[in-house]
RNA sequence: GGCGCCAUAGCCAAGUGGUAAGGCCAAGGUCUGCAAAACCUUCAUUCCCCGGUUCGAAUCCGGGUGGCGCCUCCA
């Protein structure tokens, strides 16, 4: 069985075969750190985190790089608004990225390069393009000459002629063709700058990724990812830069995730409906948000709403409940040892779903099938230690694969424990009025109690 | 104008030629001091519409209709 991935280059699902057997080099476009990231950004981060986890799950050694754009127009604008420096703004939102991403179960990449730390490599990349005849200098700016690169448009499947006629790109006097794009930009007064052979300035947007990929992963990589909106022009331009200088291919597979709508509307600044993960993780169990982001296959558009989030919270509770029940039963004394549980059929189903272009919608369906099956097993009562253990381990390994494992940081507060104990005593004395009063009191604080054969279980909303 | 995507129940979502997974919601039942959780049962004769191919189509082909994205910073 082989993994198949939809490759934006071909527009088809292709059998995944890395350049070097067993090793995957992967790059995904990270955030411009001028603000907290919103759920649209989050989808891309979660999707490629999931891709990375699954490739590892299937035995690949994955080297994953995701950048931070820490100098650009938006950052400069933001720094001016706040009357502070670009460095300060970038630093603040990089910290915020790591904390919000971690809440979403997104693992850190192997390298998180920053533009400001890659300046020498960017400058020599641009120099190389000029020397090779693919770029020209115009009044301190450096531009890529799209007419010189034969493959321009192969990712977006646009011909140069069409792009130029339909173009809304700002045509300046500096550009030889409307589709030419900036590699290096002269600094205006008050803007951050770096010395270069073309004067003081800073990199254009696209060049950083080409330079970073080259620096950290080499001349060719296996997977390049990002949101669908990056397909053109960003990734098209990266291909042009990298392949002009280094030869084909920049990446063997380009993967693009779909959009998120908010209440069936496009999320956009002008509608003022952007939703930031930084705020959302305060309202919901962050695993519910991650589950939402993985609930559909990554290329489908998904729609965010409070109703859907409510469904996700319920779904997470169903998983936790199954996990808790399995582990609670294992604590029982006098369990027969039994025989190992054969989970290979389940595993086959999951792998088949995920191998098919990371079909998390299907895979999560299978996860819930397994939850139901495990609950039935528990319900029948004919349980044994091996059966419980093996099911528990299977469930755990799947939750880890999806990044949905429960964090064990929730310790009961002392007074909660005390009240639960008090209620247990009341129940033993058959003082149900008192027991129910305590339960109601805890519920007001969002704490739900469940009486089980193994004692009281509780969870927080 | 060019390139591309999508349409499956109240909500979400799998299913790409063999007769509709799964989750949430809802109804009935079992269990429970009562709840909750869990389990069992029920919940789309039907997959936007119209043609066609086929023994057979949600799935393939043609034509509609309705949404959407990119071509400008953008996940």
């Amino acid at each position: 069985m082989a993994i198949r991935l939809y490759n934006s280059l071909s527009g088809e699902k292709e059998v995944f075969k890395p350049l070097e057997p067993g090793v995957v080099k992967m790059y995904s476009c990270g955030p411009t750190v001028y603000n907290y990231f919103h759920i649209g950004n989050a989808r891309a981060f979660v999707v490629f985190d999931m891709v990375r986890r699954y490739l590892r799950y299937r035995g690949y050694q994955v080297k994953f790089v995701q950048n931070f754009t820490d100098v650009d127009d938006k950052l400069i604008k933001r720094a001016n608004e706040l009357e502070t420096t670009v460095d300060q703004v970038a630093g603040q939102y990089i910290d915020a990225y790591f904390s919000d991403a971690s809440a979403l179960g997104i693992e850190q990449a192997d390298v998180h390069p920053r533009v400001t730390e890659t300046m020498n490599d960017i400058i020599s990349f641009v120099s190389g393009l000029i020397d090779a005849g693919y770029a020209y200098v115009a009044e301190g700016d450096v531009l890529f000459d799209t007419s010189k690169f034969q493959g321009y448009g192969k990712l977006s499947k646009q011909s140069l002629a069409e792009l130029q006629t339909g173009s809304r790109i700002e045509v300046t006097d500096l550009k030889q063709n409307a589709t030419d794009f900036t590699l290096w930009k002269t600094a205006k007064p008050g803007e951050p700058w770096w010395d270069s052979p073309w004067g003081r300035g800073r990199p254009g947007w696209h060049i950083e990724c080409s330079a970073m990929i080259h620096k950290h992963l080499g001349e060719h990589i296996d997977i390049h990812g990002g949101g669908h909106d990056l397909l053109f022009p960003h990734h098209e331009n990266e291909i042009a830069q990298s392949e002009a200088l280094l030869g084909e291919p920049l990446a063997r597979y380009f993967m693009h995730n779909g959009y998120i709508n908010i209440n069936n509307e496009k999320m956009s600044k002008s509608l003022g409906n952007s939703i930031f993960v930084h705020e959302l993780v305060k309202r919901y169990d962050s695993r519910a948000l991650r589950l939402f982001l993985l609930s559909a296959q990554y290329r489908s558009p998904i729609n965010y709403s409070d109703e859907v989030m409510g469904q996700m919270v319920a779904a997470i509770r169903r998983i936790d409940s199954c996990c808790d029940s399995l582990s609670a039963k294992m604590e029982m004394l006098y369990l027969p040892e039994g025989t190992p549980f054969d989970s290979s059929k389940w595993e086959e189903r999951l792998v088949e779903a995920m191998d098919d272009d990371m079909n998390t919608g299907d895979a999560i369906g299978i996860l819930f099938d397994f939850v139901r099956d495990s609950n039935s097993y528990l319900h029948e009562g004919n349980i044994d230690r091996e059966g419980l253990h093996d099911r528990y381990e299977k469930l755990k390994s799947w939750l880890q694969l999806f990044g949905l494992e429960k964090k064990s940081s929730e310790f009961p507060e002392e007074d909660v424990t005390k009240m639960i104990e008090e209620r247990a005593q009341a129940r033993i004395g058959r003082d149900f009025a008192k027991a129910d009063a305590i339960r109601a009191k805890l519920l007001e604080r969002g704490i739900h109690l469940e009486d089980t054969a193994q004692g009281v279980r509780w969870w927080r909303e």
Side-chain angles (χ1 to χ4, degrees):
Chain A
M1 276 269 283
I3 295 173
R4 295 170 75 243
L5 297 176
Y6 181 91
N7 189 349
S8 300
L9 279 168
S10 64
E12 286 171 356
K13 286 182 193 170
E14 297 176 15
V15 171
F16 176 67
K17 207 174 157 226
L19 217 51
E20 183 187 337
V23 179
V24 179
K25 293 180 183 176
M26 179 170 159
Y27 181 93
S28 142
C29 293
T32 301
V33 282
Y34 71 107
N35 199 349
Y36 297 114
F37 64 87
H38 55 66
I39 56 175
N41 299 307
R43 187 177 194 192
F45 304 150
V46 166
V47 160
F48 293 104
D49 180 66
M50 173 275 294
V51 170
R52 177 196 196 189
R53 284 172 189 250
Y54 185 66
L55 290 170
R56 208 193 281 144
Y57 189 82
R58 295 284 269 122
Y60 289 100
Q61 185 196 322
V62 183
K63 180 149 190 201
F64 180 55
V65 178
Q66 186 187 79
N67 69 302
F68 285 117
T69 301
D70 63 349
V71 57
D72 92 319
D73 292 350
K74 291 193 288 286
L75 270 148
I76 292 168
K77 188 167 167 251
R78 181 83 177 173
N80 288 337
E81 281 166 11
L82 299 173
E83 296 180 351
T84 180
T85 62
V86 167
D87 271 359
Q88 204 282 325
V89 173
Q92 177 189 343
Y93 289 114
I94 285 172
D95 289 348
Y97 169 85
F98 282 121
S99 113
D100 294 343
S102 152
L104 275 181
I106 298 165
E107 294 180 354
Q108 290 202 10
D110 296 301
V111 190
H112 281 282
R114 306 177 188 189
V115 175
T116 53
E117 294 167 351
T118 317
M119 215 45 85
N120 291 340
D121 306 87
I122 291 173
I123 289 168
S124 56
F125 208 107
V126 174
S127 297
L129 284 169
I130 294 172
D131 295 345
Y134 286 102
Y136 55 92
V137 184
E139 296 176 21
D141 283 11
V142 182
L143 292 135
F144 188 94
D145 186 345
T146 48
S147 69
K148 294 275 170 58
F149 180 68
Q150 287 307 307
Y152 197 80
K154 69 180 178 182
L155 180 64
S156 54
K157 292 163 185 64
Q158 295 277 352
S159 69
L160 264 178
E162 285 299 342
L163 278 167
Q164 294 192 8
T165 52
S167 176
R168 285 183 283 174
I169 304 167
E170 183 189 3
V171 181
T172 65
D173 297 341
L174 302 178
K175 285 185 181 177
Q176 293 176 5
N177 312 287
T179 46
D180 290 356
F181 55 91
T182 307
L183 297 171
W184 187 264
K185 199 175 201 171
T186 307
K188 297 193 190 93
E191 291 182 346
W193 52 265
W194 285 261
D195 270 322
S196 82
W198 321 286
R200 291 173 170 183
R202 68 194 136 91
W205 173 39
H206 313 293
I207 192 68
E208 65 184 69
C209 292
S210 285
M212 286 168 176
I213 289 170
H214 184 231
K215 179 177 180 184
H216 296 285
L217 293 169
E219 298 192 348
H220 309 291
I221 63 172
D222 297 298
I223 297 175
H224 190 135
H228 197 264
D229 50 339
L230 293 181
L231 193 144
F232 189 90
H234 187 54
H235 290 165
E236 191 73 63
N237 290 351
E238 281 182 47
I239 287 174
Q241 293 159 353
S242 293
E243 298 191 355
L245 191 67
L246 304 164
E248 296 187 69
L250 168 60
R252 295 161 68 80
Y253 306 87
F254 274 85
M255 297 175 73
H256 297 281
N257 61 275
Y259 283 92
I260 294 185
N261 292 324
I262 309 291
N263 296 318
N264 295 310
E265 276 186 324
K266 180 180 174 165
M267 177 168 66
S268 73
K269 260 188 201 157
S270 52
L271 287 168
N273 62 350
S274 296
I275 295 182
F276 294 93
V277 170
H278 195 70
E279 299 303 321
L280 219 50
V281 293
K282 295 174 191 163
R283 272 179 69 195
Y284 295 107
D285 183 336
S286 53
R287 294 134 77 221
L289 182 55
R290 185 172 172 111
L291 181 64
F292 163 68
L293 294 170
L294 295 174
S295 63
Q297 207 271 350
Y298 71 89
R299 284 185 290 123
S300 319
I302 51 176
N303 185 47
Y304 176 91
S305 67
D306 289 341
E307 186 187 0
V308 167
M309 280 307 293
Q311 293 177 7
M312 295 303 149
V313 169
I316 286 289
R317 211 162 68 223
R318 184 169 168 81
I319 294 171
D320 285 348
S321 169
C322 180
C323 241
D324 289 347
S325 297
L326 285 167
S327 81
K329 291 275 185 184
M330 279 192 286
E331 303 295 315
M332 278 172 59
L333 300 167
Y334 312 120
L335 267 178
E337 280 305 311
T339 50
F341 167 69
D342 180 12
S343 61
S344 57
K345 287 281 181 291
W346 288 103
E347 188 62 27
E348 273 170 33
R349 284 181 66 194
L350 186 100
V351 166
E352 194 186 337
M354 290 298 287
D355 274 4
D356 182 15
D357 196 26
M358 307 287 163
N359 194 337
T360 49
D362 198 5
I364 286 167
I366 293 162
L367 172 73
F368 278 101
D369 256 353
F370 184 69
V371 165
R372 174 192 289 281
D373 189 75
S374 299
N375 279 329
S376 294
Y377 170 74
L378 286 163
H379 187 76
E380 278 163 20
N382 189 21
I383 56 173
D384 57 60
R385 196 171 301 283
E386 290 274 0
L388 288 169
H389 175 266
D390 294 349
R391 282 178 173 82
Y392 183 75
E393 289 302 317
K394 175 57 50 184
L395 190 53
K396 278 280 177 197
S397 78
W398 282 3
L399 291 178
Q400 203 168 32
L401 167 61
F402 293 118
L404 295 172
E405 65 272 36
K406 195 175 183 177
K407 288 155 198 116
S408 53
S409 57
E410 278 185 36
F411 289 109
E413 294 151 34
E414 213 172 283
D415 56 331
V416 172
T417 331
K418 216 190 265 173
M419 285 169 79
I420 290 173
E421 180 53 33
E422 221 176 293
R423 177 171 170 274
Q425 288 303 322
R427 289 184 73 219
I428 289 166
R430 302 195 70 76
D431 184 355
F432 294 121
K434 187 179 175 190
D436 289 351
I438 294 171
R439 183 168 63 192
K441 214 172 205 172
L442 284 167
L443 187 60
E444 278 172 24
R445 294 169 54 180
I447 293 164
H448 296 244
L449 299 187
E450 292 169 15
D451 299 317
T452 76
Q454 282 76 43
V456 182
R457 188 189 294 169
W458 69 277
W459 55 273
R460 205 188 292 274
E461 270 168 20

